Amino acid sequence: MIVNRKPLTFWERLYVPAIMGGFKVTMRHAWRTLFEGKKVTMEYPEQKWTVPDNYRGAPYLVRDQEGNTKCVSCQLCEFVCPPKAITITPPGPTGQIADRANAEKMPQEFEINMLRCIYCGLCQEVCPEEAIFLLKDYSITGHTRDELLYNKEKLLALGGVHPGIQKWKHKAEEAKEQENFPVKV
């Protein structure tokens, strides 16, 4: 397919109309800022951005209401992470015993590389224990690369206690109800 293009006129070849249009936009913003007092920019450290409800921030590990670690080292978040930012070391046969009754194991090491993380939220969606949540944190800074490698202790400290659902408590109640439920054969 051949596209016939009309030749540029003398003024179009000089790009004067495009330059004048850009200058007009610049002068309009300068006028509004200087004389009408309308601010275009935000003074960042002093003025904070209002984070929307659906904002996906950095992932953190959370504890349940009793202070137990919710992660059971299933490694689903590690496998689903597109940039491979999550690294989990399972406890192994002689590893640490889980700190709650309904968990078989807990991770020996859990690390998220915040430099590599793309904040997609897949780790939160795939977690069966609701152990990972994305917080509304957009100011993640560090002086060195090592400061942005968050280990299990740092992730738990930043995530804190999540007042969410106690999944296994409800499952135990449902199991008791099913045992008492009369079954007709």
Side-chain angles (χ1 to χ4, degrees), residues 56-61 74-83 85-86 88 110 112 114 117-135:
R56 292 187 303 220
Y60 295 117
L61 289 175
C74 67
Q75 297 180 306
L76 287 175
C77 57
E78 182 179 11
F79 296 133
V80 79
C81 183
I86 300 174
I88 299 174
F110 192 108
I112 298 180
M114 292 298 178
C117 182
I118 59 174
Y119 310 114
C120 63
L122 291 176
C123 55
Q124 180 183 4
E125 291 178 23
V126 78
C127 184
E129 296 295 320
E130 298 173 343
I132 296 181
F133 280 91
L134 302 179
L135 299 181

Side-chain angles (χ1 to χ4, degrees), residues 1-16:
M1 176 167 150
I2 298 173
V3 177
N4 293 326
R5 298 179 190 227
K6 62 177 186 168
L8 297 174
T9 64
F10 174 72
W11 287 107
E12 290 172 339
R13 281 187 276 154
L14 289 178
Y15 298 106
V16 171

Side-chain angles (χ1 to χ4, degrees), residues 30-146:
W31 180 267
R32 288 181 182 165
T33 303
L34 295 173
F35 299 112
E36 295 178 14
K38 295 182 181 177
K39 291 186 179 181
V40 179
T41 60
M42 177 179 25
E43 304 290 332
Y44 169 62
E46 292 82 23
Q47 297 175 346
K48 296 291 184 183
W49 174 52
T50 304
V51 181
D53 291 335
N54 59 352
Y55 179 77
R56 292 187 303 220
Y60 295 117
L61 289 175
V62 295
R63 298 181 187 270
D64 62 5
Q65 287 87 347
E66 284 123 22
N68 299 326
T69 307
K70 293 180 84 173
C71 180
V72 293
S73 189
C74 67
Q75 297 180 306
L76 287 175
C77 57
E78 182 179 11
F79 296 133
V80 79
C81 183
K84 302 297 181 202
I86 300 174
T87 306
I88 299 174
T89 305
T94 60
Q96 182 180 7
I97 300 170
D99 57 359
R100 59 188 169 103
N102 295 326
E104 293 178 15
K105 57 184 179 175
M106 52 187 286
Q108 182 177 349
E109 292 180 23
F110 192 108
E111 185 177 87
I112 298 180
N113 186 347
M114 292 298 178
L115 295 170
R116 203 179 265 189
C117 182
I118 59 174
Y119 310 114
C120 63
L122 291 176
C123 55
Q124 180 183 4
E125 291 178 23
V126 78
C127 184
E129 296 295 320
E130 298 173 343
I132 296 181
F133 280 91
L134 302 179
L135 299 181
K136 296 178 184 298
D137 191 7
Y138 59 88
S139 180
I140 299 172
T141 59
H143 294 295
T144 63
R145 296 176 75 82
D146 290 335

Side-chain angles (χ1 to χ4, degrees), residues 155-170:
L155 290 166
L156 287 169
L158 292 171
V161 175
H162 192 268
I165 302 167
Q166 286 185 318
K167 178 179 174 181
W168 294 111
K169 191 174 196 179
H170 296 295

Side-chain angles (χ1 to χ4, degrees), residues 172-183:
E173 291 170 4
E174 289 175 11
K176 286 180 186 175
E177 289 175 8
Q178 287 179 356
E179 288 175 5
N180 298 335
F181 187 73
V183 180

